Amino acid sequence: MSQTIVLASNNAGKIKEFNELLSQFNFEVKPQGDFHVADAEETGLTFVENAILKARHACAETGLPALADDSGIEVDFLNGAPGIYSARFAGEHGNNEANNALLLEKLAGVPEEQRTARFHCVLAFMRHKDDPTPIIAHGSWEGRILESAEGVEGFGYDPIFFVPEKGCSSASLPKEVKNQLSHRAKALAELVEAFKARQML
Ligand SMILES: O=c1nc[nH]c2c1ncn2[C@H]1C[C@H](O)[C@@H](COP(=O)(O)OP(=O)(O)OP(=O)(O)O)O1
Ligand SMILES: [Mg+2]
């Protein structure tokens, strides 16, 4: 059986990673753009709320089950900012270069030990728009903010996120390595366990 699931994202970087991470499963995962679904309004105050809003929106627009990802980076020196506002940190939604430049600017002169940060990824899977029991999974990835951008892989904040266990930025890691370590990979592993518990895999 190959069930179609809508990936409730219009972020090309995420869509690419989900295609890599989900290739082991028997699902057909199609990005919502294939169904001409526009961005949901992210009005929640938590990653969990935003992930549900996105999944519900994609279910409503397509009539199919949907998987959404709300993610971002939490910087300790900034009391957790940009957090759920990561995609619009510098104002314009999804302007990665401006977001990275603003984060580097806000941390200018801050010593290494105070530059700790982590990525979060919350996944929400909903069977239909009125699903009262969405499956929620969470993963995080610890690191710190570099002083300048390094590497060309990945997307978003990857060029300025230092991965201590590898000694380089996450944009310097081969995609297979990021896909083993990342917040998204961990959340997806948790989602798979929840699917198994519900006899869905
Ligand atoms: O692995 C990652 N490597 C680098 N940066 C990342 C990662 N994961 C999330 N991020 C950043 C990108 C964006 O600034 C924000 C997600 O924002 P978020 O609203 O969840 O996604 P989005 O609006 O880009 O696409 P969509 O809502 O259509 O899925 O966190
Ligand atoms: Mg978004």
Short mmCIF file of all heavy atoms in Angstrom, two decimals, residues 8-11 14 17 32 39 42 47 54 69-73 83-88 93-94 96 99 119-120 141 154-159 170 178 182-184, ligand 1:
data_model
loop_
_atom_site.label_atom_id
_atom_site.label_comp_id
_atom_site.label_asym_id
_atom_site.label_seq_id
_atom_site.Cartn_x
_atom_site.Cartn_y
_atom_site.Cartn_z
N ALA A 8 3.06 19.57 4.28
CA ALA A 8 2.49 20.91 4.42
C ALA A 8 3.58 21.95 4.58
O ALA A 8 3.70 22.61 5.60
CB ALA A 8 1.53 20.95 5.61
N SER A 9 4.40 22.09 3.54
CA SER A 9 5.50 23.06 3.56
C SER A 9 5.73 23.59 2.16
O SER A 9 5.55 22.85 1.18
CB SER A 9 6.78 22.38 4.07
OG SER A 9 7.87 23.29 4.00
N ASN A 10 6.13 24.86 2.10
CA ASN A 10 6.57 25.42 0.82
C ASN A 10 8.06 25.76 0.87
O ASN A 10 8.55 26.52 0.03
CB ASN A 10 5.75 26.67 0.47
CG ASN A 10 4.31 26.30 0.07
OD1 ASN A 10 4.09 25.31 -0.65
ND2 ASN A 10 3.34 27.06 0.53
N ASN A 11 8.78 25.22 1.84
CA ASN A 11 10.21 25.51 2.01
C ASN A 11 11.02 24.43 1.26
O ASN A 11 11.01 23.25 1.63
CB ASN A 11 10.53 25.50 3.52
CG ASN A 11 12.00 25.72 3.80
OD1 ASN A 11 12.86 25.15 3.16
ND2 ASN A 11 12.27 26.55 4.80
N LYS A 14 13.47 22.22 3.33
CA LYS A 14 12.79 21.16 4.12
C LYS A 14 12.29 20.04 3.21
O LYS A 14 12.43 18.86 3.55
CB LYS A 14 11.56 21.74 4.81
CG LYS A 14 11.80 22.58 6.01
CD LYS A 14 10.44 22.87 6.64
CE LYS A 14 10.49 24.00 7.64
NZ LYS A 14 9.15 24.35 8.14
N GLU A 17 14.97 17.68 2.31
CA GLU A 17 15.36 16.80 3.42
C GLU A 17 14.30 15.74 3.69
O GLU A 17 14.62 14.59 3.96
CB GLU A 17 15.64 17.62 4.68
CG GLU A 17 16.95 18.38 4.57
CD GLU A 17 17.34 19.12 5.84
OE1 GLU A 17 16.73 18.92 6.90
OE2 GLU A 17 18.28 19.93 5.74
N GLN A 32 2.87 20.35 -0.66
CA GLN A 32 1.57 20.99 -0.87
C GLN A 32 1.54 21.87 -2.13
O GLN A 32 0.47 22.10 -2.70
CB GLN A 32 1.15 21.78 0.37
CG GLN A 32 2.04 22.96 0.71
CD GLN A 32 1.61 23.65 2.01
OE1 GLN A 32 0.80 23.12 2.76
NE2 GLN A 32 2.15 24.83 2.27
N ASP A 39 0.82 29.13 1.68
CA ASP A 39 1.24 29.09 3.08
C ASP A 39 0.06 29.28 4.02
O ASP A 39 -0.79 30.14 3.78
CB ASP A 39 2.24 30.23 3.37
CG ASP A 39 3.62 29.94 2.79
OD1 ASP A 39 3.93 28.76 2.57
OD2 ASP A 39 4.37 30.92 2.57
N GLU A 42 0.80 31.50 10.16
CA GLU A 42 1.43 30.94 11.35
C GLU A 42 1.17 31.87 12.53
O GLU A 42 2.03 32.63 12.95
CB GLU A 42 2.92 30.72 11.09
CG GLU A 42 3.13 29.72 9.95
CD GLU A 42 4.59 29.49 9.60
OE1 GLU A 42 5.42 29.48 10.52
OE2 GLU A 42 4.88 29.30 8.41
N PHE A 47 5.74 26.21 18.49
CA PHE A 47 5.99 25.39 17.31
C PHE A 47 4.84 24.39 17.13
O PHE A 47 4.42 24.10 16.02
CB PHE A 47 7.31 24.63 17.46
CG PHE A 47 8.55 25.48 17.44
CD1 PHE A 47 9.33 25.62 18.58
CD2 PHE A 47 8.96 26.14 16.30
CE1 PHE A 47 10.49 26.39 18.57
CE2 PHE A 47 10.12 26.92 16.27
CZ PHE A 47 10.89 27.04 17.42
N LYS A 54 -0.55 24.41 10.18
CA LYS A 54 -0.10 24.10 8.81
C LYS A 54 -0.68 22.78 8.32
O LYS A 54 -1.14 22.66 7.18
CB LYS A 54 1.43 24.01 8.76
CG LYS A 54 2.16 25.32 8.99
CD LYS A 54 3.67 25.09 8.81
CE LYS A 54 4.52 26.02 9.62
NZ LYS A 54 5.96 25.84 9.40
N ASP A 69 5.84 20.66 9.40
CA ASP A 69 7.07 20.88 10.18
C ASP A 69 7.11 22.34 10.56
O ASP A 69 7.10 23.21 9.69
CB ASP A 69 8.26 20.51 9.27
CG ASP A 69 9.64 20.99 9.75
OD1 ASP A 69 9.75 22.14 10.23
OD2 ASP A 69 10.59 20.22 9.57
N ASP A 70 7.10 22.65 11.85
CA ASP A 70 7.41 24.01 12.26
C ASP A 70 8.72 23.95 13.02
O ASP A 70 8.88 23.16 13.95
CB ASP A 70 6.30 24.64 13.10
CG ASP A 70 6.45 26.16 13.12
OD1 ASP A 70 6.53 26.76 12.02
OD2 ASP A 70 6.50 26.77 14.20
N SER A 71 9.66 24.76 12.59
CA SER A 71 11.00 24.66 13.14
C SER A 71 11.64 26.03 13.27
O SER A 71 11.10 27.02 12.78
CB SER A 71 11.86 23.72 12.28
OG SER A 71 11.69 23.99 10.90
N GLY A 72 12.77 26.06 13.95
CA GLY A 72 13.46 27.33 14.13
C GLY A 72 14.65 27.16 15.05
O GLY A 72 14.95 26.05 15.50
N ILE A 73 15.29 28.28 15.32
CA ILE A 73 16.50 28.25 16.14
C ILE A 73 16.30 29.12 17.38
O ILE A 73 15.72 30.21 17.30
CB ILE A 73 17.73 28.68 15.31
CG1 ILE A 73 19.03 28.33 16.02
CG2 ILE A 73 17.67 30.16 14.92
CD1 ILE A 73 20.23 28.29 15.09
N GLY A 83 13.47 31.85 17.73
CA GLY A 83 12.43 30.87 18.06
C GLY A 83 11.40 30.68 16.96
O GLY A 83 11.76 30.46 15.81
N ILE A 84 10.12 30.78 17.34
CA ILE A 84 9.06 30.54 16.34
C ILE A 84 9.06 31.61 15.25
O ILE A 84 8.40 31.43 14.23
CB ILE A 84 7.66 30.44 16.97
CG1 ILE A 84 7.26 31.74 17.67
CG2 ILE A 84 7.55 29.25 17.92
CD1 ILE A 84 5.76 31.82 17.99
N TYR A 85 9.79 32.69 15.48
CA TYR A 85 9.84 33.76 14.46
C TYR A 85 11.07 33.65 13.57
O TYR A 85 11.41 34.59 12.86
CB TYR A 85 9.79 35.14 15.16
CG TYR A 85 8.57 35.28 16.05
CD1 TYR A 85 8.68 35.25 17.43
CD2 TYR A 85 7.29 35.37 15.48
CE1 TYR A 85 7.56 35.32 18.24
CE2 TYR A 85 6.16 35.44 16.29
CZ TYR A 85 6.30 35.41 17.67
OH TYR A 85 5.17 35.47 18.46
N SER A 86 11.75 32.49 13.60
CA SER A 86 13.02 32.35 12.87
C SER A 86 12.92 32.71 11.39
O SER A 86 13.82 33.35 10.84
CB SER A 86 13.54 30.92 13.01
OG SER A 86 13.90 30.65 14.36
N ALA A 87 11.84 32.31 10.74
CA ALA A 87 11.73 32.54 9.29
C ALA A 87 11.54 34.01 8.97
O ALA A 87 11.84 34.45 7.86
CB ALA A 87 10.57 31.72 8.71
N ARG A 88 11.04 34.79 9.92
CA ARG A 88 10.76 36.22 9.67
C ARG A 88 11.56 37.12 10.62
O ARG A 88 11.13 38.24 10.93
CB ARG A 88 9.26 36.50 9.76
CG ARG A 88 8.58 35.68 10.86
CD ARG A 88 7.05 35.70 10.84
NE ARG A 88 6.57 34.46 11.44
CZ ARG A 88 5.52 34.35 12.25
NH1 ARG A 88 4.76 35.39 12.50
NH2 ARG A 88 5.18 33.18 12.76
N HIS A 93 9.66 37.31 5.30
CA HIS A 93 9.59 35.87 5.51
C HIS A 93 10.54 35.11 4.58
O HIS A 93 10.50 35.30 3.37
CB HIS A 93 8.15 35.38 5.27
CG HIS A 93 7.97 33.93 5.53
ND1 HIS A 93 7.34 33.43 6.65
CD2 HIS A 93 8.39 32.83 4.85
CE1 HIS A 93 7.36 32.13 6.63
NE2 HIS A 93 7.99 31.73 5.54
N GLY A 94 11.38 34.28 5.19
CA GLY A 94 12.20 33.37 4.38
C GLY A 94 13.45 33.99 3.75
O GLY A 94 14.08 33.36 2.91
N ASN A 96 16.77 34.16 4.13
CA ASN A 96 17.79 33.51 4.96
C ASN A 96 19.03 34.38 5.15
O ASN A 96 19.60 34.42 6.25
CB ASN A 96 18.21 32.17 4.32
CG ASN A 96 17.09 31.16 4.32
OD1 ASN A 96 16.31 31.10 5.26
ND2 ASN A 96 16.99 30.36 3.28
N ASN A 99 18.28 37.10 7.62
CA ASN A 99 18.12 36.52 8.96
C ASN A 99 19.47 36.19 9.58
O ASN A 99 19.74 36.48 10.75
CB ASN A 99 17.27 35.25 8.90
CG ASN A 99 15.81 35.52 8.60
OD1 ASN A 99 15.33 36.64 8.79
ND2 ASN A 99 15.10 34.51 8.11
N PHE A 119 18.51 24.10 17.36
CA PHE A 119 17.39 24.01 16.43
C PHE A 119 16.30 23.17 17.08
O PHE A 119 16.58 22.20 17.80
CB PHE A 119 17.81 23.27 15.15
CG PHE A 119 18.52 24.11 14.13
CD1 PHE A 119 19.81 23.77 13.72
CD2 PHE A 119 17.90 25.20 13.54
CE1 PHE A 119 20.46 24.52 12.75
CE2 PHE A 119 18.55 25.95 12.56
CZ PHE A 119 19.83 25.61 12.17
N HIS A 120 15.06 23.53 16.80
CA HIS A 120 13.92 22.69 17.17
C HIS A 120 13.13 22.35 15.92
O HIS A 120 13.01 23.20 15.01
CB HIS A 120 12.96 23.45 18.09
CG HIS A 120 13.48 23.67 19.47
ND1 HIS A 120 13.58 22.66 20.39
CD2 HIS A 120 13.93 24.79 20.07
CE1 HIS A 120 14.07 23.16 21.52
NE2 HIS A 120 14.30 24.45 21.35
N TRP A 141 18.52 20.02 18.34
CA TRP A 141 19.92 19.81 17.94
C TRP A 141 20.74 20.94 18.55
O TRP A 141 20.51 22.11 18.26
CB TRP A 141 20.01 19.84 16.41
CG TRP A 141 21.27 19.32 15.81
CD1 TRP A 141 22.20 18.51 16.39
CD2 TRP A 141 21.72 19.54 14.47
NE1 TRP A 141 23.20 18.22 15.49
CE2 TRP A 141 22.93 18.83 14.30
CE3 TRP A 141 21.20 20.25 13.37
CZ2 TRP A 141 23.64 18.83 13.11
CZ3 TRP A 141 21.91 20.25 12.18
CH2 TRP A 141 23.12 19.54 12.05
N GLY A 154 22.64 22.52 2.87
CA GLY A 154 21.52 22.82 3.75
C GLY A 154 20.79 24.09 3.34
O GLY A 154 20.77 24.47 2.17
N PHE A 155 20.22 24.76 4.33
CA PHE A 155 19.42 25.96 4.07
C PHE A 155 19.34 26.77 5.37
O PHE A 155 19.90 26.37 6.41
CB PHE A 155 18.01 25.58 3.57
CG PHE A 155 17.16 24.86 4.59
CD1 PHE A 155 16.20 25.55 5.34
CD2 PHE A 155 17.31 23.50 4.82
CE1 PHE A 155 15.41 24.89 6.29
CE2 PHE A 155 16.53 22.84 5.78
CZ PHE A 155 15.58 23.53 6.52
N GLY A 156 18.64 27.88 5.31
CA GLY A 156 18.33 28.65 6.52
C GLY A 156 19.57 29.03 7.31
O GLY A 156 20.54 29.60 6.79
N TYR A 157 19.54 28.70 8.59
CA TYR A 157 20.62 29.08 9.51
C TYR A 157 21.81 28.11 9.47
O TYR A 157 22.76 28.28 10.26
CB TYR A 157 20.07 29.18 10.95
CG TYR A 157 19.08 30.32 11.14
CD1 TYR A 157 17.71 30.12 10.96
CD2 TYR A 157 19.52 31.60 11.49
CE1 TYR A 157 16.79 31.17 11.14
CE2 TYR A 157 18.61 32.64 11.67
CZ TYR A 157 17.26 32.41 11.48
OH TYR A 157 16.37 33.45 11.65
N ASP A 158 21.78 27.11 8.61
CA ASP A 158 22.87 26.11 8.60
C ASP A 158 24.28 26.71 8.48
O ASP A 158 25.21 26.23 9.16
CB ASP A 158 22.66 25.08 7.47
CG ASP A 158 21.60 24.04 7.82
OD1 ASP A 158 21.44 23.73 9.01
OD2 ASP A 158 20.94 23.54 6.89
N PRO A 159 24.50 27.77 7.66
CA PRO A 159 25.88 28.28 7.54
C PRO A 159 26.44 28.90 8.83
O PRO A 159 27.66 29.01 8.97
CB PRO A 159 25.77 29.36 6.44
CG PRO A 159 24.52 29.01 5.69
CD PRO A 159 23.59 28.41 6.70
N SER A 170 26.77 23.34 10.17
CA SER A 170 25.89 22.31 9.61
C SER A 170 25.79 22.45 8.10
O SER A 170 25.49 21.48 7.41
CB SER A 170 24.53 22.25 10.31
OG SER A 170 23.70 23.26 9.93
N LYS A 178 24.01 15.42 8.11
CA LYS A 178 22.98 16.27 8.72
C LYS A 178 21.72 15.44 8.97
O LYS A 178 21.08 15.57 10.01
CB LYS A 178 22.67 17.49 7.83
CG LYS A 178 21.63 18.39 8.49
CD LYS A 178 21.21 19.60 7.67
CE LYS A 178 20.06 20.30 8.41
NZ LYS A 178 19.37 21.32 7.63
N SER A 182 20.26 15.80 12.75
CA SER A 182 19.47 17.03 12.88
C SER A 182 18.22 16.87 13.74
O SER A 182 17.72 15.77 13.97
CB SER A 182 19.06 17.54 11.50
OG SER A 182 17.98 16.79 10.99
N HIS A 183 17.73 18.01 14.18
CA HIS A 183 16.44 18.14 14.85
C HIS A 183 15.32 17.49 14.03
O HIS A 183 14.46 16.82 14.56
CB HIS A 183 16.15 19.63 15.11
CG HIS A 183 16.33 20.51 13.90
ND1 HIS A 183 17.47 20.47 13.12
CD2 HIS A 183 15.52 21.42 13.32
CE1 HIS A 183 17.34 21.34 12.13
NE2 HIS A 183 16.17 21.92 12.22
N ARG A 184 15.38 17.66 12.72
CA ARG A 184 14.34 17.10 11.84
C ARG A 184 14.43 15.58 11.81
O ARG A 184 13.41 14.88 11.85
CB ARG A 184 14.51 17.71 10.44
CG ARG A 184 13.40 17.38 9.45
CD ARG A 184 13.38 18.36 8.28
NE ARG A 184 13.02 19.69 8.75
CZ ARG A 184 13.87 20.71 8.89
NH1 ARG A 184 15.14 20.57 8.55
NH2 ARG A 184 13.47 21.86 9.37
O1 LIG B 1 17.53 22.36 9.38
C1 LIG B 1 17.57 23.60 9.38
N1 LIG B 1 18.67 24.28 9.01
C2 LIG B 1 18.71 25.60 8.97
N2 LIG B 1 17.67 26.40 9.27
C3 LIG B 1 16.53 25.77 9.64
C4 LIG B 1 16.44 24.38 9.74
N3 LIG B 1 15.22 24.06 10.16
C5 LIG B 1 14.56 25.19 10.34
N4 LIG B 1 15.37 26.24 10.01
C6 LIG B 1 15.00 27.67 10.02
C7 LIG B 1 14.63 28.12 8.63
C8 LIG B 1 13.52 29.10 8.87
O2 LIG B 1 14.08 30.37 9.18
C9 LIG B 1 12.85 28.56 10.12
C10 LIG B 1 11.71 27.63 9.80
O3 LIG B 1 10.51 28.37 9.70
P1 LIG B 1 9.12 27.62 9.36
O4 LIG B 1 8.00 28.53 9.48
O5 LIG B 1 9.08 26.34 10.12
O6 LIG B 1 9.32 27.19 7.84
P2 LIG B 1 9.10 27.99 6.50
O7 LIG B 1 8.17 29.14 6.72
O8 LIG B 1 10.40 28.28 5.90
O9 LIG B 1 8.38 26.91 5.58
P3 LIG B 1 6.95 26.21 5.84
O10 LIG B 1 6.26 26.93 6.96
O11 LIG B 1 6.24 26.33 4.53
O12 LIG B 1 7.27 24.78 6.17
O13 LIG B 1 13.85 27.85 10.82
#
